[in-house]
Amino acid sequence: MINRKTVKVLNLKPVTRTMCRDFYLKINSEFDTPDSIKESVSWWQDDVDKLNNLWWVLNYHSDKLDPDRNLRAFVENHLDCLAQKQETTFQA
C-alpha cells in the first residue's frame, strides 16, 4: 500500500476501477512486459497523478499485470521519493 504520509504530502486520491479503465487499456496495449511498464515510470517520473493511476491499475489488474507485486512496490517507492523531495523543498 502507498504510505499514508506519501498520500497526504502528494494529495493522492483513490481511483476506482471504472475511473482507471482507459489507462488500463492504454497500458495493456502499449506495454508487453512488466519491464516495459517499469520503464514507463521513468517517462512519468514527476507526474504524480499518472503514477497514482498506474499504481491503481496495477492493483486492480494485478493478476494480469503485476502478480508478484514488484511493479506496485516500485511505483510506491518512487512516490515515496517524490513525497520526500516535495517535503524537503517546502521545508527549505
Side-chain angles (χ1 to χ4, degrees), residues 70-86:
N70 288 334
L71 287 172
R72 274 178 287 181
F74 181 76
V75 173
E76 288 168 17
N77 185 47
H78 191 75
L79 287 167
D80 288 343
C81 291
L82 288 174
Q84 284 181 328
K85 184 178 174 183
Q86 186 168 336

Side-chain angles (χ1 to χ4, degrees), residues 20-31 57 61:
C20 67
R21 178 169 165 56
D22 290 340
F23 197 51
Y24 165 72
L25 293 173
K26 176 182 169 87
I27 287 170
N28 207 28
S29 67
E30 291 184 14
F31 305 111
V57 166
H61 302 283

Side-chain angles (χ1 to χ4, degrees), residues 7 15 36 42 50 62 64 81 87 89:
V7 170
V15 178
S36 62
S42 67
K50 195 165 263 190
S62 62
K64 187 168 187 170
C81 291
E87 264 191 325
T89 302

Side-chain angles (χ1 to χ4, degrees), residues 5-45:
K5 187 174 182 179
T6 297
V7 170
K8 185 177 179 182
V9 169
L10 297 177
N11 195 29
L12 300 176
K13 305 292 183 210
V15 178
T16 66
R17 189 179 199 113
T18 304
M19 290 167 62
C20 67
R21 178 169 165 56
D22 290 340
F23 197 51
Y24 165 72
L25 293 173
K26 176 182 169 87
I27 287 170
N28 207 28
S29 67
E30 291 184 14
F31 305 111
D32 299 340
T33 65
D35 286 336
S36 62
I37 295 172
K38 193 173 183 178
E39 183 181 337
S40 71
V41 172
S42 67
W43 304 333
W44 309 322
Q45 63 186 352

